[in-house]
Amino acid sequence: RFEACWPALMHDSHGVIIIFNPELPSHLKEIEMWYSCFVQQRPLLDSQCLLVAHHKPGSAGDTENLALAYPLNKLKLIHSNLEEDPEDVRMELMKYFRSLITFLSESREREEMSIIS
């Protein structure tokens, strides 16, 4: 229903975080659509995408055997449960944002060097 707004959301984006509930089979299919629309069509590199499998508090979600279809299985995947490991989630997000900043800095530097040359 909000697909008309997606181009505005994607404008000047440099990364995508897709958060889903791994316990809902429908979410596993939906993230393929999100990946296609927000990563592949943009186009962004896989390193600019982060998947977050969010587990509800008290759920006994399997964090080891989450089978994702290709090309989602190539992406960085973290599991989150904010009651049990909020600091781990924060650290993983910080790593992701640092990698985006590094990528953007290197891209700008290459662009500036190509203009100078």
Side-chain angles (χ1 to χ4, degrees):
R1 135 175 94 160
F2 297 105
E3 283 184 47
C5 298
W6 290 0
L9 291 172
M10 292 185 286
H11 182 71
D12 287 340
S13 65
H14 300 289
V16 173
I17 299 174
I18 300 173
I19 302 170
F20 65 100
N21 182 343
E23 296 165 18
L24 295 177
S26 64
H27 279 201
L28 297 177
K29 281 292 181 200
E30 285 178 30
I31 61 175
E32 291 178 32
M33 184 263 312
W34 291 106
Y35 175 79
S36 173
C37 291
F38 284 88
V39 179
Q40 289 179 321
Q41 290 179 22
R42 174 90 181 105
L44 296 174
L45 300 174
D46 287 343
S47 61
Q48 293 171 274
C49 183
L50 176 67
L51 293 179
V52 180
H54 183 68
H55 301 272
K56 292 182 180 179
S59 69
D62 186 1
T63 60
E64 301 297 321
N65 297 316
L66 182 59
L68 297 173
Y70 179 85
L72 298 173
N73 60 0
K74 303 182 307 175
L75 304 176
K76 171 77 174 164
L77 170 69
I78 64 170
H79 292 269
S80 71
N81 182 325
L82 298 179
E83 274 192 0
E84 294 177 17
D85 59 1
E87 187 61 23
D88 289 345
V89 174
R90 187 181 79 76
M91 293 304 294
E92 288 294 335
L93 288 172
M94 292 301 292
K95 282 189 229 176
Y96 170 71
F97 290 127
R98 274 191 216 110
S99 72
L100 279 182
I101 291 167
T102 300
F103 175 78
L104 290 173
S105 296
E106 291 171 354
S107 294
R108 283 195 184 122
E109 189 173 308
R110 280 192 302 275
E111 186 177 330
E112 290 170 359
M113 291 306 290
S114 71
I115 292 170
I116 292 171
S117 302

